[in-house]
Amino acid sequence: MPRDLPISNGKLLVTFDSHFRIRDIYYPHVGSENQTAGHINRIGVWVDGDFAWLDNPAWERTMTYLPGTLVTNVEARSERLGLSLVCHDCVDFDRPVLLRQIRVLDLLDKPREVRIMFHYDSYLYETEVGDTACYRPQSRALVFYKRERYLLACGSASIMGETLFDPRGSQQTQDRGRIKGLSIDGIAGWATGTKVIHHTEGTWRDAEDGVLERNSIAQGSVDGVIALHVALPPGGVSTVHHWLCVGRSMREVEDLSKLVEERRPESLIQHTADYWRVWAEKTGRDFGDLSPEVAELYKRSLLIVRTQVDSSGAIIAANDTDVAEVARDHYSYMWPRDGALVAEALDLAGYREVPRRFYALMSKLVEPEGYVLHKYNPDGTLASSWH
């Protein structure tokens, strides 16, 4: 199945499906490896003793991006829970960090406690064998690790505060918001456990009563959930921020998490939105009498193509893990022919840095006899082939 919202920085690619569930976390290359192996990673909400994952029919969702950016703009509304959510997600433009902001709006005009649950299903190195999930009190975070793959899940919640990230890019609004919100860093709850083993469904079921059991560590085939709690004033708005740091060591992901706390996630989201707006507008193209919708489609196409390009120069055909269920293979490969067509299109559009890296990579892959092979992995190694 296609992915509805891909976000990337050339090092880390995260994709969402049509139910606003993370399905793929590709690292250290765009297209390799998929640290979730395409499995479902959920968001759920508990309030007033009721709970629903965002893929539940209780939620009505609209999913898009902020114009000219690789920052999502997802709205979810539930009359049953009496809540409305506005979600902005991005991969930091420079670092392997997924940043998530959720504004929670009360629809019932009464004070309430809301608990947001983030579930992760790890398949590090694309297999569930030998994974570990553990709570790290030093970082107030949940960490998944195996060998040189680490995922650290942390977050913060505001108390009766407004969002600090302004989708319109206004630094003035951002500064005003900083005065109004009190932020608490670290997760409020966590749970780790096993999945698949002995037919267990997974730890995500533990979230559905709104209370996480705080099992501190699990090994083997594991998943985990973190919780962020907010106090919601009557008819008011509160905000949670969540970040997932990805790296090769515990020190690396913990240092990334400290950086997010110091610089603030809302500020990093703002900088990432600004970066992509500048990138999408860099040529200053005149669209003449074409409609704003067509101009936005042009920019959106450039940005979507950019999510499928690795920082090494590899231009990947498609990152869709679901096809592996029927073919036991996928399209996360670089075909020299297809990559050349994309590179030419980007060159004609005035985006020459991507074609340069692609041609530099291809120059290293030419065989001594003067030809290239069928297809390659994102790191330039020979891929599977029917030739």
Side-chain angles (χ1 to χ4, degrees):
M1 297 294 290
R3 303 305 189 221
D4 290 62
L5 296 174
I7 49 178
S8 173
N9 64 0
K11 303 170 188 175
L12 173 66
L13 167 64
V14 178
T15 74
F16 296 87
D17 66 15
S18 60
H19 297 288
F20 194 47
R21 304 174 300 194
I22 290 178
R23 296 295 302 278
D24 310 290
I25 301 174
Y26 288 99
Y27 173 87
H29 295 281
V30 171
S32 176
E33 305 114 11
N34 189 351
Q35 307 303 336
T36 69
H39 290 266
I40 293 170
N41 301 261
R42 302 166 170 85
I43 294 181
V45 179
W46 177 95
V47 64
D48 299 335
D50 197 0
F51 180 90
W53 298 105
L54 258 65
D55 58 3
N56 188 290
W59 294 95
E60 296 179 1
R61 299 175 303 274
T62 59
M63 298 174 54
T64 184
Y65 295 90
L66 295 177
T69 76
L70 285 175
V71 178
T72 70
N73 185 31
V74 176
E75 298 184 17
R77 183 183 178 93
S78 173
E79 297 296 338
R80 191 184 95 190
L81 273 65
L83 294 174
S84 175
L85 310 180
V86 178
C87 310
H88 300 306
D89 314 85
C90 68
V91 171
D92 182 81
F93 73 92
D94 189 44
R95 305 168 189 88
V97 179
L98 169 66
L99 301 159
R100 312 193 70 176
Q101 174 180 284
I102 300 180
R103 297 177 66 243
V104 186
L105 171 65
D106 170 56
L107 302 178
L108 300 183
D109 199 28
K110 66 178 184 178
R112 313 165 79 190
E113 179 191 0
V114 180
R115 303 173 187 177
I116 311 295
M117 308 288 184
F118 297 89
H119 162 252
Y120 287 100
D121 193 0
S122 74
Y123 285 75
L124 304 181
Y125 289 99
E126 302 188 336
T127 172
E128 78 281 15
V129 177
D131 285 1
T132 297
C134 64
Y135 176 68
R136 290 278 289 180
Q138 305 94 317
S139 305
R140 305 178 307 283
L142 196 66
V143 177
F144 301 85
Y145 75 88
K146 179 165 61 190
R147 289 159 52 196
E148 291 188 332
R149 300 293 179 261
Y150 285 76
L151 279 63
L152 180 150
C154 195
S156 64
S158 71
I159 297 178
M160 296 177 68
E162 295 183 353
T163 176
L164 306 185
F165 164 61
D166 178 10
R168 297 165 297 180
S170 168
Q171 186 66 41
Q172 183 178 8
T173 302
Q174 187 180 20
D175 291 339
R176 287 203 304 269
R178 188 176 299 278
I179 299 171
K180 296 181 180 179
L182 172 63
S183 179
I184 300 176
D185 291 322
I187 59 181
W190 65 88
T192 70
T194 58
K195 63 182 188 258
V196 180
I197 302 171
H198 305 304
H199 306 289
T200 54
E201 288 188 86
T203 311
W204 58 278
R205 286 294 191 188
D206 184 34
E208 294 180 343
D209 63 356
V211 179
L212 298 178
E213 295 302 325
R214 298 198 170 196
N215 180 42
S216 294
I217 192 165
Q219 71 176 87
S221 177
V222 301
D223 67 339
V225 185
I226 66 169
L228 295 171
H229 298 181
V230 289
L232 194 56
V237 178
S238 290
T239 305
V240 300
H241 289 97
H242 163 52
W243 53 93
L244 183 75
C245 304
V246 186
R248 298 175 183 269
S249 69
M250 189 74 78
R251 179 181 294 274
E252 182 179 349
V253 294
E254 289 188 329
D255 285 349
L256 283 170
S257 186
K258 289 177 184 176
L259 183 145
V260 174
E261 289 187 22
E262 291 169 359
R263 300 194 182 182
R264 305 309 307 159
E266 62 276 5
S267 177
L268 296 176
I269 295 172
Q270 187 74 65
H271 291 163
T272 297
D274 293 342
Y275 174 87
W276 289 116
R277 285 191 181 101
V278 171
W279 188 87
E281 297 278 1
K282 65 181 290 186
T283 61
R285 185 175 297 276
D286 181 6
F287 292 94
D289 60 355
L290 294 176
S291 68
E293 291 77 14
V294 171
E296 175 59 26
L297 178 60
Y298 175 83
K299 296 172 191 175
R300 175 60 45 213
S301 299
L302 286 169
L303 289 162
I304 295 298
V305 168
R306 187 65 180 80
T307 66
Q308 307 302 298
V309 178
D310 186 66
S311 58
S312 69
I315 298 175
I316 307 304
N319 291 291
D320 172 11
T321 309
D322 289 351
V323 71
E325 293 298 319
V326 294
R328 305 315 300 163
D329 208 339
H330 49 74
Y331 290 102
S332 293
Y333 298 120
M334 175 182 67
W335 276 263
R337 174 201 59 192
D338 298 15
L341 293 171
V342 174
E344 182 184 23
L346 288 170
D347 196 357
L348 292 172
Y351 292 82
R352 296 186 174 87
E353 75 280 2
V354 172
R356 283 196 189 101
R357 289 200 297 268
F358 171 75
Y359 296 135
L361 176 60
M362 290 308 306
S363 69
K364 301 174 185 177
L365 301 178
V366 177
E367 296 293 306
E369 295 82 4
Y371 58 86
V372 293
L373 298 173
H374 178 206
K375 61 181 178 179
Y376 299 86
N377 294 307
D379 62 0
T381 56
L382 181 62
S384 64
S385 181
W386 49 265
H387 279 189

